[in-house]
Amino acid sequence: AQRHWRAAARLGDSYGAANAAKDAANTAKSATVVMSEKQLAELQQLMKEVNELQEEAQGEAMKQKVAPLADLLRQLRDSAAPRAPPSHDAHDAPVPRGVTAVARASAAVGLGGGEPFILRDAMDWLSGQKVLDFMPRLMTACGRDVVAYEIQGKGMSAQSMAAPFAQYIQQLQRSDVGAAYLMSSDQLLERPELQDLLQSPEGLAVRGDMPPLPHWLTVGGAGAKTLLKRDPVVTASWTMLVLGSARWSLLPPGSSPSLAGPPDRWGDTRSEEDAFNREWPEVWTATQEMGEVLVVPPGWWYQMLLEDRVLAISAQFLAKEHQPLVAKELPSLGCLGSD
């Protein structure tokens, strides 16, 4: 890790430089690794599984191969420190007038209420140590695919680029505020060899009478922002944060940011405005952590700000509870039917 940090720092990576400086300032005795309660629990579970593997190993040679991993995990546990809750979390501080904090839930209930919410532990096949299985499969399947991405400067300026996905992941180390990398693709996850990883969270599957909808993969660095957008009003959406941390600004139906172009017949559109840098009559905010799923109802605008290196998977869906919400939005588009 020390060699990696120093090498990254020499290449101009700010994260590597910060870690290298922190490592130099701390002794091995005082060094700590900050973890959330969930990460600490996952570490304990991983230690248990490795210890069981060591006990079941056939032959002394195999046990010796497992021993260094078990020792490394013990060192990690001994240096772990609990992470303080984010200061901008919904439960920490009073929310300004006109701003509503998005609530968290443990199950997809209240879909018909028309409010966004965050689901905890909704996609366990893409969280914890299973992320370690996902990344190699993703790179094997898509590493050579050319992807379009952008390097975002100050304000809304951005430089459009393209590179093989594996090369983009390497270049992501250069990402920083003022030169933030962002890539979104609805093609990479459509590979047949990845379909078993793309189950929808419970209660958020596409209705059987709807055509299959693509899954989007978003990968970016700290400081990058997605565009403020609204999906077709006939669908809701969910976003799973596989890695990293992100903040969200969401505007309810009826909000009227300036449009980047005319919407399509179902209301799918984008805005050139930055939802984080202006006041709105009503705005909902959220901080999403790794392993959580943000659910956005039909008709809502939303924008994501990456607080760390992020890998996110998102998709559109429509539950039967959403039908009254959709019917309410359709007249604004000049649509008379609700099918």
Side-chain angles (χ1 to χ4, degrees), residues 111-113 203-210 234 236 298 317-327:
L111 288 173
L204 305 183
V206 175
R207 276 176 20 187
D209 57 348
M210 293 181 65
V234 293
F317 76 105
L318 188 69
K320 62 180 181 180
E321 293 90 344
H322 287 142
Q323 292 177 347
L325 303 175
V326 171

Side-chain angles (χ1 to χ4, degrees), residues 35-313:
M35 296 185 182
S36 67
E37 291 183 4
K38 180 179 178 181
Q39 290 170 331
L40 287 169
E42 290 172 347
L43 175 59
Q44 294 285 2
Q45 178 62 28
L46 183 57
M47 290 180 62
K48 178 181 177 182
E49 294 177 3
V50 170
N51 288 335
E52 291 175 352
L53 178 63
Q54 193 172 16
E55 293 174 358
E56 297 171 0
Q58 300 293 323
E60 191 62 30
M62 181 59 69
K63 290 184 178 181
Q64 290 180 0
K65 289 182 178 180
V66 179
L69 177 57
D71 183 61
L72 176 62
L73 292 175
R74 282 193 293 271
Q75 293 182 48
L76 186 59
R77 179 200 60 192
D78 293 342
S79 62
R83 175 192 296 169
S87 60
H88 43 256
D89 190 86
H91 306 289
D92 291 333
V95 179
R97 184 184 299 272
V99 179
T100 303
V102 174
R104 282 173 163 77
S106 57
V109 296
L111 288 173
E115 297 179 353
F117 60 92
I118 289 178
L119 278 175
R120 294 189 176 103
D121 304 322
M123 297 177 69
D124 58 0
W125 57 93
L126 272 179
S127 62
Q129 67 189 76
K130 296 177 183 177
V131 175
L132 301 178
D133 299 326
F134 172 72
M135 291 304 298
R137 290 181 59 181
L138 179 64
M139 298 307 297
T140 299
C142 311
R144 297 182 179 181
D145 292 3
V146 176
V147 297
Y149 66 96
E150 60 185 25
I151 304 175
Q152 299 178 350
K154 296 181 179 180
M156 300 296 287
S157 65
Q159 180 182 6
S160 298
M161 308 286 285
F165 181 56
Q167 183 178 335
Y168 169 75
I169 294 297
Q170 293 177 339
Q171 293 175 347
L172 191 60
Q173 298 181 14
R174 307 173 186 172
S175 181
D176 201 355
V177 177
Y181 285 56
L182 182 68
M183 181 227 75
S184 291
S185 171
D186 63 348
Q187 300 295 317
L188 293 181
L189 296 179
E190 297 308 302
R191 296 296 187 91
E193 57 266 42
L194 300 176
Q195 293 308 297
D196 62 302
L197 297 172
L198 301 181
Q199 308 168 52
S200 298
E202 186 175 355
L204 305 183
V206 175
R207 276 176 20 187
D209 57 348
M210 293 181 65
L213 298 174
H215 288 77
W216 285 81
L217 177 69
T218 299
V219 183
K225 292 179 183 177
T226 63
L227 287 175
L228 177 61
K229 64 171 294 186
R230 182 182 66 183
D231 290 328
V233 300
V234 293
T235 64
S237 69
W238 58 262
T239 299
M240 162 66 170
L241 211 58
V242 182
L243 294 171
S245 176
R247 290 168 52 203
W248 293 83
S249 281
L250 305 101
L251 308 180
S255 302
S256 53
S258 59
L259 303 183
D264 69 8
R265 64 174 299 208
W266 298 114
D268 186 2
T269 189
R270 308 288 186 273
S271 172
E272 295 179 344
E273 293 197 63
D274 187 341
F276 291 93
N277 288 335
R278 62 157 283 188
E279 294 184 358
W280 303 90
E282 183 181 359
V283 60
W284 291 53
T285 62
T287 297
Q288 184 183 14
E289 302 293 346
M290 186 170 67
E292 295 182 330
V293 176
L294 175 72
V295 182
V296 181
W300 283 69
W301 293 82
Y302 59 91
Q303 185 177 21
M304 178 170 62
L305 168 62
L306 281 58
E307 292 198 317
D308 197 352
R309 296 179 188 177
V310 160
L311 188 152
I313 297 175

